[in-house]
């Protein structure tokens, strides 16, 4: 079956530090990969996505590259801000599973000024 | 962009009562809606999938008689927690999509507290 494993948190950083959150996956088909962000008390927002191998998704300074050879989709940002404090979820959708999303456990990131 | 509105954002109810949560797609037709439950500091657990005009499909371990889902129109799905108990207290989130390969759009969630 499909599964997503992401780095456990919580992660605490200082402003302008480099952020990386590891994410690996297993899938039976050819999945699309996503990073979602959840701010306190809110639902999920799509941060970025990649639909095929070697694609790079990017948004708001965040980047992630779909690596089929390592089945990974690590999230990175070169210089975080306090406003980046949130929970980040790695997810995949597999056409062989009706494109249902499978989520990782989530990583809580806190950025301190 | 596409917006999904979920209401209410917070609800407190007494044990034994029922609570209805609405999920609306505001600017697109949601042929499929998903309902999730999120426990504190945990990931989202898919509860059920609802397709407009048909019965919901529940994930293993989810009681269909307790969590009633209705998807009567292309813009509205409802989740009713029947005879709620304190262990049903959780954060419930809906998501919606137009076509099967369309992006998913999420509501802002409903914090249910059963006293």
């Amino acid at each position: 079956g499909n599964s997503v494993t992401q780095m456990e948190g919580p992660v605490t950083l200082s402003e302008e530090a480099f952020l990386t959150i590891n994410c690996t996956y297993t899938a039976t088909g050819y999945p699309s990969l996503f990073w979602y962000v959840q701010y306190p008390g809110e639902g999920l927002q799509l941060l970025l996505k990649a639909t095929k191998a070697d694609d790079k998704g990017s948004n708001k300074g965040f980047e992630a590259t779909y690596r089929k050879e390592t089945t990974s989709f690590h999230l990175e940002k070169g210089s975080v801000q306090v406003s980046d404090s949130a929970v980040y979820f790695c997810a995949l959708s597999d056409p062989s599973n009706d494109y249902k999303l499978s989520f990782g456990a989530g990583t809580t990131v806190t950025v301190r000024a | 962009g596409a917006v999904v509105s979920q209401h209410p954002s917070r609800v407190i109810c007494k044990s034994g009562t029922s609570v209805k949560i609405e999920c609306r797609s505001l600017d697109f037709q949601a042929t499929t809606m998903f309902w999730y439950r999120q426990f504190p500091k945990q990931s989202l657990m898919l509860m059920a999938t609802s397709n407009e005009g048909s019965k919901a499909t529940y994930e293993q371990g989810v009681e269909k008689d307790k969590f009633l889902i209705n998807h009567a129109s292309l813009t509205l799905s409802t989740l009713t927690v029947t005879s709620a108990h304190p262990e049903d207290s959780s954060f419930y989130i809906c998501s919606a999509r137009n076509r099967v390969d369309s992006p998913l759009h999420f509501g802002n969630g409903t914090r249910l507290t059963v006293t």
Side-chain angles (χ1 to χ4, degrees):
Chain A
N2 298 330
S3 68
V4 178
T5 302
Q6 66 181 97
M7 187 175 79
E8 288 189 22
V11 175
T12 302
L13 302 165
S14 297
E15 218 168 14
E16 299 184 2
F18 181 85
L19 170 68
T20 181
I21 304 175
N22 289 340
C23 171
T24 57
Y25 68 91
T26 58
T28 54
Y30 299 93
S32 295
L33 302 174
F34 306 83
W35 277 100
Y36 283 87
V37 59
Q38 184 180 32
Y39 299 101
E42 297 184 13
L44 272 66
Q45 300 176 26
L46 178 63
L47 181 59
L48 53 85
K49 69 176 183 180
T51 58
K52 61 183 187 296
D54 298 326
D55 269 3
K56 177 187 282 188
S58 61
N59 186 25
K60 299 181 181 179
F62 290 89
E63 292 184 343
T65 301
Y66 189 142
R67 300 287 188 198
K68 189 175 180 181
E69 63 276 14
T70 54
T71 62
S72 65
F73 193 55
H74 305 321
L75 182 69
E76 297 181 338
K77 185 172 185 179
S79 177
V80 294
Q81 306 300 312
V82 172
S83 58
D84 294 324
S85 299
V87 182
Y88 293 83
F89 293 94
C90 185
L92 70 82
S93 84
D94 189 342
S96 68
N97 190 30
D98 195 30
Y99 294 93
K100 292 179 183 178
L101 279 175
S102 299
F103 288 93
T107 302
T108 300
V109 174
T110 302
V111 181
R112 294 181 173 169
Chain B
V3 176
V4 172
S5 174
Q6 189 172 338
H7 178 80
S9 58
R10 292 178 179 271
V11 59
I12 300 172
C13 71
K14 292 185 177 181
S15 187
T17 61
S18 294
V19 174
K20 180 183 285 187
I21 302 170
E22 292 188 348
C23 183
R24 294 180 183 273
S25 58
L26 299 185
D27 57 358
F28 68 101
Q29 293 185 330
T31 56
T32 304
M33 287 188 172
F34 300 91
W35 287 94
Y36 304 84
R37 183 173 180 176
Q38 185 180 28
F39 293 98
K41 299 183 179 181
Q42 293 188 28
S43 189
L44 281 72
M45 180 191 78
L46 180 64
M47 298 174 65
T49 303
S50 74
N51 292 297
E52 185 268 337
S54 61
K55 289 185 177 181
T57 303
Y58 290 81
E59 297 298 306
Q60 192 172 9
V62 178
E63 299 176 61
K64 63 180 181 181
D65 294 330
K66 179 161 190 64
F67 299 100
L68 300 179
I69 292 171
N70 183 283
H71 192 166
S73 78
L74 283 170
T75 59
L76 174 64
S77 176
T78 60
L79 166 67
T80 302
V81 183
T82 62
S83 187
H85 289 93
E87 58 265 30
D88 299 325
S89 299
S90 193
F91 195 57
Y92 293 88
I93 303 175
C94 71
S95 67
R97 69 183 184 199
N98 182 357
R99 299 187 315 271
V100 67
D101 58 346
S102 297
L104 270 180
H105 301 282
F106 285 81
N108 277 343
T110 297
R111 172 73 60 194
L112 171 63
T113 303
V114 184
T115 60

